[in-house]
Amino acid sequence: MRAFIIRPFGVKNEIDFDEVARVLISPALEAVGAEGRETLDIVESGNIRTDMFRRLLTADLVVADLSIHNANVFYELGIRHALRAHGAFMLRCAADRFPFDLQTDRYFVYRRDDPAASLPALVEALGRTRDAGAKDAAAKDSPVFVALPGLSEPDHSLLNRVPRDFEEDVAAAAEARRAGDLALLSYEARGFEWEVNGWRAVGRAQRNLKAWTGARETWERVRAVEPGDLEANIQLGTVYERTGDLTKSEGAFRRALQNRAARPADRAEVYALLARNAKTRWRGEWEAAPPGERAAAALRSPHLRDSFENYERAFLEDLNHFYSGLLALASLKVMVELAAALPDEWAEQFDDDDEAARALEKHQAQAAKLAAAVELSLAAAAARLAREGRSPDVWADISAADLRLLTSAAPRRVAAAYRAALADAPDFAADAVRKQLAIYRDLGVLGASLAEVFKVVGEPPPPPAAAEPPPAQRRERVLLFSGHMIDAPGRDKPRFPADREQVARERIRRAVFEEMQAGAGVSIGYAGGASGGDILFHEVCDELGLASRLCLAVPPQEYVGRSVAKAGQQWVERFWRLYDERAARGLMRVLSEAADAAEGREQMPAWLRERSGYNIWQRVNLWMLFNALEEACDPRSGDPNITLIALWDGRTGDGPGGTGHLVEKVERLGAPCHKLLTGELFGL
């Protein structure tokens, strides 16, 4: 949660407001998990107006000290009240009289003589304010928004633009389909004022790449800041569904429906996604039954009705959303045909046969109405495309063919509709059609037309004969390596003496071999290219037939000067052999292409340079780690499925970003870390 403090500065009316901020306001904000910034920061930066407006708009919580009549404080509080409906917290001590316009508002009163004594009470009060906003997105404490209930907040993103070069980095990673790079960018955006908009850009790219692990983490970051966010909850609902957690998925979708800013099209999409989850549950139930009992299990399942009702709700929210109307019709047709084929199973769901018959007649009549409405919706969509001069929509054409299947008694005409719709469609569209048609075939419904349609689209794979799901297959692991370089001549405290190379090689080889033999084995290794441990790891991987990626922080010529040449010419020659071979196989990448940057700051992206205590060597560790995780992590279980081998003395390195840094990050994930401690290994 991001906070902004507006207050007087220095000593005014015998009150030390700097001391109040230091011992009361700032500690209270920290206690409730808020990062606080003050107007003084803006004054010192020289960009007071733009930065102040941005922070007053985008802060989740604004704390205003109104103890005295201070024009700047009143002005900034007025701006906040005009921009945001909730999150302005006023406090004061007994000094000046209350301003007339604010006399009816509630204040937190702190002790003038001992502000720190009021800290516990302030923490509790700030926590209540924070929780009220999290529980109710429509909560209001601004007198402006209370007096004008139709007033809307401005778009927060307008004053928190994402740096252009960050957007370019996201676009480049997405274009190259580098999910690990996107995960790194999501991690690095944390703490910037534009972080939420940066996460949105990354999260959309991750969703498009189906990088479910990274997408989940990114959108959960957005939702942690904005719990009721519409886009975050829709995206998370989809991510959770794709990773097998339907309960979390439905919870996210229902949060999205509670957002009062959701438009009819948004609500239609969310109801359709809830329907898809119900359909998944429904299929799971009847597909687990023996083949001869699947139709009855499908008819009895409450999830069939849930799916129909949510698809219908989606269509009623937005009649342009023809896809949800079509799937509502499909669910209803399945229900009607199964009820006709299995009258006893249908009747058992009602109190008597007459009620069952009336329900069936009602569904048949509803199916006719839905069919007519979907036909009009499809016609309207086609007319819009023609009016706007756009090409026909392949999915609308497929939907028209689906509608004909559900309503026509002429099999050859149905088949002709699919032939026309799929003539120029991509392969995945035909796969989606076959997946839906397989449901009808496996349940024995709509059989009159299916034989002809399969001649056009191809027969779907047969249904599984056994009810038991296949055993879960553990994925191959990814190995990360980090280790010390060969000691430079004259090093005070030896870590890797040159004459211990063979000892290190044998121990690294044993560790890699053991990993390759354990469990599902290893798919690939990741390491840098420094003299000593890194190069030995790559050479060992070559000996054992394991592919390994060469990951360089900086361009190779500069990398050699920094991390290889001090160990001698033979190491330089070994580096270039590795480099040429990995480059030829597409197993080499360079993080920063900037050269000749002695201080290292120029080798960071411009948007990242202002972050203190973070350099290219820390970044390359995280870059390798995130790429390894995207390659190995199981998105359903969350198992990182990586192992780090660290040739390490167990101490803090010579500078930021060494082996210890990567060990810390891997252990925090709960992943195994094999530490080859050089003190014991080399007898140091």
Side-chain angles (χ1 to χ4, degrees), residues 382-392:
R384 279 195 301 274
L385 290 173
R387 184 175 65 249
E388 296 167 4
R390 293 190 287 159
S391 301

Side-chain angles (χ1 to χ4, degrees), residues 509-526:
R509 191 182 196 283
R510 187 195 316 168
V512 173
F513 181 77
E514 289 172 353
E515 285 295 322
M516 292 174 67
Q517 299 304 307
V522 175
S523 61
I524 198 167
Y526 279 74

Side-chain angles (χ1 to χ4, degrees), residues 492-550:
D492 291 339
K493 295 181 179 179
R495 295 187 309 188
F496 190 165
D499 62 0
R500 302 296 198 275
E501 176 188 340
Q502 191 58 35
V503 175
R505 175 187 289 275
E506 291 174 0
R507 188 62 187 89
I508 292 170
R509 191 182 196 283
R510 187 195 316 168
V512 173
F513 181 77
E514 289 172 353
E515 285 295 322
M516 292 174 67
Q517 299 304 307
V522 175
S523 61
I524 198 167
Y526 279 74
S531 65
D534 288 352
I535 290 178
L536 289 173
F537 174 78
H538 287 295
E539 291 175 344
V540 163
C541 288
D542 287 344
E543 293 171 10
L544 296 174
L546 176 66
S548 63
R549 297 189 190 278
L550 177 61

Side-chain angles (χ1 to χ4, degrees), residues 13 66 69 114-115 125 146 191 205 207 222 280 296 309-310 358 371 440 522 566 588 601 606 671:
N13 293 19
L66 302 173
H69 293 176
D114 185 8
V146 170
R207 168 67 177 80
V222 175
T280 299
E309 290 177 349
N310 279 306
R358 287 193 300 271
Y440 306 143
V522 175
K566 292 178 183 178
M588 189 283 304
R601 301 303 297 171

Side-chain angles (χ1 to χ4, degrees), residues 87-102:
F89 184 93
M90 296 182 291
L91 76 167
R92 69 188 311 277
C93 67
D96 291 350
R97 296 183 59 188
F98 288 11
F100 175 78
D101 289 341
L102 297 174

Side-chain angles (χ1 to χ4, degrees), residues 142 183 195 278 479 561 654 665:
S142 161
E195 63 182 3
L479 288 186
D654 293 342
K665 296 299 181 183

